[in-house]
Amino acid sequence: MIAKFPGDITQQHVRNFLDCCRTRKLPNGDVYIGHRSAQACLLAVQAYEERRTLHFDEQREEVLPL
């Protein structure tokens, strides 16, 4: 099922981006939040495929060896 949104959602993203450029605030879809969200999913897939628990160093962003 495809959900339809009223209006042009691209226009809303551009407006938010330009507002952030003017005010120096973080955008609605901050890159860091997207990075961490995707990282969690990718680590889950890796753990599943390797059939093991992964130990992850958040500071270095590395999977620690066994």
Side-chain angles (χ1 to χ4, degrees):
M1 175 180 235
I2 297 175
K4 296 202 178 216
F5 292 96
D8 183 11
I9 61 172
T10 303
Q11 182 181 9
Q12 294 171 3
H13 287 291
V14 171
R15 180 177 294 128
N16 178 248
F17 173 75
L18 294 174
D19 288 342
C20 292
C21 289
R22 280 192 290 275
T23 63
R24 303 274 187 215
K25 292 182 180 178
L26 289 177
N28 293 336
D30 184 40
V31 171
Y32 182 73
I33 294 169
H35 166 71
R36 286 296 191 183
S37 299
Q39 187 177 54
C41 297
L42 293 170
L43 288 169
V45 169
Q46 183 179 353
Y48 176 78
E49 288 178 348
E50 294 181 11
R51 299 193 192 315
R52 70 180 183 104
T53 300
L54 297 179
H55 299 282
F56 185 72
D57 183 349
E58 293 178 12
Q59 298 300 317
R60 295 171 54 192
E61 295 196 5
E62 291 181 345
V63 175
L64 300 174
L66 295 173

